[in-house]
Amino acid sequence: MDGQNFEEIHRFEGHTSVVVTICIDFVKRKMLTGSNDGKVREWNLDLYSSKEIQAHNNRISGIVYCGEHIITSSFDGTIGVWDNAKKGRLLWKSMAYGRINIAGCTFNKCTYVGDEAEAVIIENGGITIT
């Protein structure tokens, strides 16, 4: 940044606690934010508007787009799969052992790994737990 001055374009406000994770889809011009308030917000980067999903009862630990779905994980040990096309309708939620972290994601395949080393693979709308 070498002494360059940057100007704030917009401040995204809406969470009631600190934002701990973000995911940006540059093609769709959208951004997901996950917070310690257990909520996820999807932001339209052109209009600066957002919609909220009450995703978890504890802090969000990971968030990602996976095709037309939003995948969330939380320190409450759950994974949520949300139908983004239907305004955030919950499709699947699972308790896992310990904390869940995103291990990797491509366009339509996401892998989560828990503290106990079990893996949850979400691919093309199907869910596999190993």
Side-chain angles (χ1 to χ4, degrees):
M1 317 244 186
D2 303 327
Q4 295 177 355
N5 294 321
F6 292 94
E7 181 180 334
E8 182 179 292
I9 297 171
H10 182 77
R11 184 175 299 234
F12 295 90
E13 297 179 345
H15 287 286
T16 59
S17 188
V18 64
V19 172
V20 294
T21 184
I22 66 169
C23 177
I24 299 174
D25 184 326
F26 290 103
V27 174
K28 294 181 181 176
R29 306 260 319 133
K30 296 195 178 211
M31 175 176 68
L32 297 171
T33 55
S35 173
N36 281 349
D37 61 12
K39 295 181 177 119
V40 171
R41 294 189 86 82
E42 182 179 47
W43 301 88
N44 179 314
L45 295 177
D46 293 320
L47 303 175
Y48 302 125
S49 61
S50 71
K51 67 180 179 183
E52 179 181 282
I53 300 171
Q54 176 61 53
H56 295 275
N57 294 324
N58 204 325
R59 300 177 294 158
I60 304 295
S61 61
I63 188 167
V64 69
Y65 284 107
C66 188
E68 291 301 315
H69 299 98
I70 295 171
I71 315 296
T72 61
S73 60
S74 172
F75 284 92
D76 64 9
T78 62
I79 298 169
V81 179
W82 310 88
D83 185 344
N84 196 31
K86 297 193 176 176
K87 300 184 181 179
R89 181 175 64 92
L90 179 65
L91 295 177
W92 180 77
K93 195 169 191 179
S94 174
M95 283 298 292
Y97 298 105
R99 187 175 38 142
I100 302 294
N101 293 304
I102 297 171
C105 190
T106 60
F107 175 71
N108 61 357
K109 179 178 180 179
C110 298
T111 303
Y112 286 81
V113 178
D115 287 343
E116 303 296 319
E118 81 279 6
V120 177
I121 301 169
I122 302 163
E123 183 173 20
N124 296 324
I127 299 166
T128 305
I129 301 174
T130 62

